[in-house]
Amino acid sequence: MSILGTKIASVIFTLGLAFAVLAVGFGEFHLFGNLTVIPSTLSGLLIGAGLTALGCLLAYLRGERLSLSAPVLIICLALILISDIPYRRYNYYQSPPMAVELLIGGAAVLILAAFIPKAVMPLIMVLSLLSGLAGFLYLANGRFLVSDDHSSFLFRLIQLKENFPFIPFYSTEWNGGYEAREFFPSGILNVFFIFAPFIYLFDISSIYTYLVAALLFAVHPALIWLAARVVRFSIPASCAAVACSIYCSLLWYKWALVFGTIGFLTSLAAIPVVLALLAKASDESSNWRKSDAVLFFLASSLSLFWPLSTLILMPAGAFFLLNFKRIWRKAGMSAAVIALIVFHLPWMLIFAHASGVFNFVSSSTAGKAVHANYSAGVWKAFAELREAIGNSSTVILFLFTPGILLLKSLSLKRLTLVTGAWLLILGTTGTIFKPQLELNRMFMVLFFLLALPAGLAAAEFLRVGSEMLRARSWPGFLYLIPTVVLALTPFRLWKVATNQTVERFSFSNSLVKQLAEDIEEYCTGKGRTIFAGFTLHELEGGHVAPLASFTKLPLIAMSFQHNVWTYVDVFPEDFRSRGEEGILEYLDLYNVGCVIAHDRGWLRWFKKRPEMFQFQTKLGRFNLFTRTGFESNYFFSGAGRVLEGPASSIRLRLDTPEAVIKFNFLPFLRSDKCRLKSFPAGSNIQLIQLSACPTGAEIVISSIPPWSRLWRAFSGD
């Protein structure tokens, strides 16, 4: 099937497909504000199906071969700009493109296309990257990102800096001791490895925002550039692919800047490179080199650090097996595949053993909680598909199909089509059956993947249009429209990067550091500090996780990072039900000498008891109290002293051979000098009981090493 079909059957066929896409993606469609083209989703689908069938029938009766009509797709792309879509609250453009933007972009494209067409796409790419980077750093003004999970990712990077490669480990920083293993499901390890030199050289909180900027405007574009060059795209086509990917979807920046899932996005950005290299390896005539095998290992590693990428790459795995002999014979590929297994299988086994991930994935209760019935799930899946289309690049939407047809590599065509179909299936059925996995994200992955063929088509249309214009063939203007729309990317990215869209992100305005300083000032030497009630995004839009690293003091919160989705009080029900006596017992049980209250109910509760809780200071919504007459004691029974040391272990000296300490017991703990077992302290609380200990000697309690965890995973213990 070609992409330049101009016969009536091909035109009608393509128009039908375009109607269907517009109906699914946007529903009602109006031009110039009041000219209705598609009155409803159903009518649009019916019109689209009718036109598509008519086109097929005409082609059959005339004995013609159907082809896509590029002019029809380009005209539909142009109509988006004069429709009501840019005026909608949730849409890709986030405000109608201003006349001055279109004038600047159109004039620049026209002039350059007439004289130096090969410079157009590189210029758009560079301006887009610079616009996003400059806007983001201008808005940041030296502050670090805290919105949603950014604060948690900052905390995880600090933990990795202090503890890698001994992960997972027992951390005493939060909640009386917990297993720090969020590095695996979050995908943060790929970010850690990319920026390891900077992470070890500098204070992470001072460079975190710059790391995020480097990911979005350097690393991710570089990966799509590599994918394009691997499959031998021209320089203009490679630049066009980067320009398409850099703002493939508003959802990309929602997950990157608002939600802060930078590990997940870095994993996804590497997938096109993996697919491109697999396609090249399967081609007998490709100029394969050992450096390609090294790149395959690196790109696959970046991707696999987010565990769910294995689900996305299932079609690629099937492709590898079907073409095993050809791929395995390529120089260095056998070593690359073996290295991937040796490098990644151990941590995957540890993660699966430690987290119970298979129980979470197989759980059906999460789906029942989200969708009362199957019908509701179907409608939600459709709504999320529409949201994804409406928030994604219209250049990708209308040009990915001709782009796939233009791909010279048959293997890459197959991989792109099958992976794309798989992502569509995951995004729709996952929302219905496994909502706990948030597989609606697969729609965003799909558009990022399709940026590669869409960029190829845009560059080809630019070439055709510039040649027609030089030959004084005025229809050449039509083929320049995709490039003009792509030239709006710098303007759109500036809006995203400077927080001028509906998806807004937040930086720290010193509240985080000031609260940390207040905790240090009032709570040092007073045991643990507890955040009463429930915490989610109260700390300047983010989680409280990094406070433990900033203060170097043990804290308690529900929840200090995003692992709880509904209100759960930090004080267990068993203790709350007994009123003041139960609350005080819980505070003593965890050696809490400082309380921070932001919930109105708990704030009133502590203020009513000034004889027990002395108000010290207020910062924003956070009110800090210290317990009157409190003496820190980490011993539930027995006697001794807890020593200072790294947060990944407990160091103490005992005055008695047996003791129970106010730290949570976990089954993977070990001691060099004592026997450990759990001590039930009520409400599912298990403290650490020590026995057969030497008195006066320094005792260390820590997690067993990763290789021991690996052995347990293999042995099934």
Side-chain angles (χ1 to χ4, degrees):
M1 183 182 286
S2 69
I3 64 168
L4 299 177
T6 55
K7 295 182 179 180
I8 187 64
S10 296
V11 169
I12 294 174
F13 172 77
T14 307
L15 189 60
L17 293 178
F19 258 86
V21 169
L22 289 172
V24 171
F26 305 103
E28 296 182 11
F29 186 77
H30 307 277
L31 294 178
F32 308 110
N34 54 12
L35 178 59
T36 301
V37 178
I38 300 177
S40 67
T41 300
L42 180 60
S43 61
L45 287 172
L46 291 175
I47 294 170
L51 289 173
T52 303
L54 179 60
C56 293
L57 179 62
L58 285 176
Y60 174 75
L61 294 175
R62 296 186 177 195
E64 298 173 358
R65 185 179 179 183
L66 273 179
S67 60
L68 284 177
S69 175
V72 171
L73 295 174
I74 293 171
I75 289 171
C76 289
L77 174 61
L79 290 177
I80 294 287
L81 299 180
I82 57 173
S83 72
D84 64 316
I85 290 173
Y87 292 87
R88 299 178 185 179
R89 176 172 171 77
Y90 289 98
N91 78 91
Y92 173 77
Y93 291 98
Q94 284 298 293
S95 71
M98 297 172 58
V100 64
E101 295 176 8
L102 287 169
L103 184 62
I104 293 172
V109 168
L110 182 61
I111 294 170
L112 291 172
F115 296 101
I116 43 174
K118 290 186 177 181
V120 177
M121 290 303 182
L123 185 61
I124 292 175
M125 179 192 74
V126 171
L127 289 177
S128 298
L129 294 173
L130 290 178
S131 173
L133 180 62
F136 181 69
L137 294 180
Y138 169 76
L139 181 68
N141 193 28
R143 301 172 294 172
F144 67 88
L145 275 168
V146 292
S147 55
D148 206 338
D149 280 338
H150 277 296
S151 52
S152 297
F153 275 86
L154 169 62
F155 178 55
R156 290 163 196 164
L157 286 175
I158 294 172
Q159 288 183 308
L160 283 170
K161 179 178 181 178
E162 296 173 350
N163 295 281
F164 186 83
F166 298 100
I167 58 173
F169 60 92
Y170 182 80
S171 173
T172 62
E173 293 173 290
W174 280 102
N175 294 1
Y178 77 104
E179 182 182 21
R181 52 177 166 80
E182 297 79 12
F183 322 106
F184 301 132
S186 66
I188 191 63
L189 283 168
N190 54 29
V191 178
F192 176 74
F193 280 117
I194 291 171
F195 296 112
F198 301 98
I199 288 172
Y200 281 109
L201 286 173
F202 301 100
D203 173 63
I204 299 176
S205 64
S206 65
I207 64 169
Y208 179 78
T209 300
Y210 300 102
L211 299 186
V212 175
L215 282 173
L216 294 178
F217 305 113
V219 175
H220 296 171
L223 289 169
I224 203 78
W225 169 271
L226 280 172
R229 297 301 290 163
V230 163
V231 291
R232 305 186 70 178
F233 278 19
S234 65
I235 296 295
S238 300
C239 293
V242 173
C244 286
S245 71
I246 191 69
Y247 190 22
C248 64
S249 172
L250 180 63
L251 296 177
W252 186 271
Y253 290 95
K254 178 179 183 177
W255 285 91
L257 297 178
V258 181
F259 293 163
T261 53
I262 53 177
F264 151 64
L265 292 177
T266 302
S267 174
L268 302 186
I271 287 177
V273 185
V274 176
L275 299 184
L277 286 164
L278 279 177
K280 183 177 181 179
S282 68
D283 187 354
E284 293 283 8
S285 61
S286 66
N287 182 26
W288 183 268
R289 296 167 295 184
K290 287 185 178 180
S291 58
D292 292 320
V294 174
L295 182 59
F296 178 77
F297 170 78
L298 294 175
S300 299
S301 292
L302 290 180
S303 181
L304 290 172
F305 277 129
W306 182 60
L308 269 183
S309 66
T310 55
L311 188 63
I312 299 173
L313 290 170
M314 286 181 69
F319 180 87
F320 174 81
L321 294 176
L322 291 171
N323 297 273
F324 179 79
K325 288 185 178 180
R326 275 184 289 175
I327 295 175
W328 194 257
R329 287 198 302 263
K330 295 293 184 180
M333 272 302 279
S334 57
V337 173
I338 292 171
L340 283 172
I341 295 172
V342 171
F343 190 73
H344 290 279
L345 186 59
W347 74 257
M348 287 182 174
L349 289 171
I350 292 173
F351 166 57
H353 180 264
S355 65
V357 63
F358 296 115
N359 293 331
F360 176 74
V361 172
S362 61
S363 170
S364 59
T365 56
K368 292 177 183 177
V370 176
H371 304 309
N373 53 61
Y374 175 79
S375 176
V378 171
W379 281 111
K380 181 166 179 63
F382 179 76
E384 289 178 343
L385 174 60
R386 170 167 290 179
E387 180 189 19
I389 294 175
N391 283 280
S392 298
S393 167
T394 49
V395 173
I396 297 176
L397 183 63
F398 287 104
L399 297 194
F400 82 87
T401 307
I404 290 175
L405 295 174
L406 285 169
L407 289 172
K408 295 179 180 179
S409 169
L410 180 60
S411 295
L412 187 59
K413 283 183 182 180
R414 291 171 176 170
L415 269 172
T416 303
L417 286 170
V418 174
T419 304
W422 175 240
L423 289 170
L424 194 60
I425 292 170
L426 289 177
T428 50
T429 61
T431 299
I432 300 170
F433 298 109
K434 295 294 177 184
Q436 70 269 36
L437 298 181
E438 297 180 313
L439 292 177
N440 56 313
R441 292 178 284 181
M442 298 303 107
F443 298 135
M444 179 183 65
V445 185
L446 174 61
F447 273 88
F448 185 81
L449 176 63
L450 295 179
L452 204 62
L456 179 63
E460 177 63 16
F461 291 157
L462 172 62
R463 184 191 65 79
V464 172
S466 61
E467 288 180 357
M468 293 176 72
L469 286 180
R470 286 199 296 270
R472 297 183 182 276
S473 176
W474 304 123
F477 284 111
L478 181 67
Y479 288 92
L480 296 183
I481 289 176
T483 307
V484 173
V485 177
L486 207 53
L488 297 174
T489 304
F491 300 103
R492 301 300 103 192
L493 267 182
W494 177 267
K495 286 184 175 292
V496 171
T498 55
N499 240 353
Q500 298 181 54
T501 72
V502 294
E503 303 295 355
R504 301 180 68 82
F505 48 95
S506 57
F507 295 90
S508 173
N509 291 311
S510 75
L511 176 61
V512 176
K513 291 295 180 71
Q514 287 179 15
L515 183 57
E517 291 172 2
D518 285 350
I519 293 173
E520 280 188 276
E521 179 180 352
Y522 294 104
C523 302
T524 299
K526 296 184 181 297
R528 295 188 178 99
T529 300
I530 193 169
F531 285 82
F534 178 71
T535 61
L536 190 63
H537 297 140
E538 286 80 8
L539 194 60
E540 297 189 298
H543 304 295
V544 296
L547 287 176
S549 294
F550 295 156
T551 61
K552 301 298 182 184
L553 296 175
L555 308 175
I556 297 176
M558 179 64 71
S559 122
F560 66 91
Q561 56 189 352
H562 209 159
N563 58 348
V564 178
W565 281 261
T566 57
Y567 190 103
V568 178
D569 203 293
V570 69
F571 295 105
E573 174 61 26
D574 289 356
F575 292 89
R576 293 201 316 273
S577 63
R578 291 188 283 119
E580 180 181 291
E581 178 188 356
I583 299 301
L584 293 176
E585 181 184 336
Y586 186 82
L587 295 178
D588 288 338
L589 185 63
Y590 275 109
N591 191 35
V592 175
C594 276
V595 176
I596 297 175
H598 63 278
D599 286 0
R600 290 181 180 178
W602 282 113
L603 182 58
R604 287 195 298 268
W605 196 92
F606 289 109
K607 282 187 172 181
K608 285 180 179 179
R609 294 163 173 81
E611 72 284 359
M612 298 180 182
F613 301 94
Q614 182 178 356
F615 174 77
Q616 298 292 351
T617 186
K618 179 180 180 181
L619 193 61
R621 294 177 56 187
F622 298 98
N623 297 262
L624 193 152
F625 299 83
T626 56
R627 294 180 66 184
T628 304
F630 175 82
E631 292 185 8
S632 178
N633 181 16
Y634 280 103
F635 288 83
F636 183 85
S637 66
R641 183 164 62 95
V642 174
L643 308 175
E644 291 187 3
S648 57
S649 64
I650 305 168
R651 297 175 182 271
L652 66 161
R653 282 194 174 91
L654 294 182
D655 299 331
T656 57
E658 295 185 357
V660 176
I661 57 175
K662 298 175 181 179
F663 290 85
N664 292 327
F665 174 85
L666 292 174
F668 53 82
L669 290 176
R670 65 172 182 177
S671 172
D672 56 343
K673 295 182 176 70
C674 300
R675 289 200 299 267
L676 305 179
K677 66 178 183 178
S678 64
F679 177 85
S683 188
N684 298 318
I685 296 173
Q686 301 289 326
L687 300 181
I688 299 174
Q689 181 173 350
L690 301 92
S691 60
C693 302
T695 58
E698 182 175 326
I699 299 167
V700 178
I701 301 173
S702 63
S703 170
I704 61 175
W707 48 88
S708 297
R709 301 289 292 272
L710 182 61
W711 172 251
R712 288 190 179 185
F714 271 117
S715 61
D717 291 342

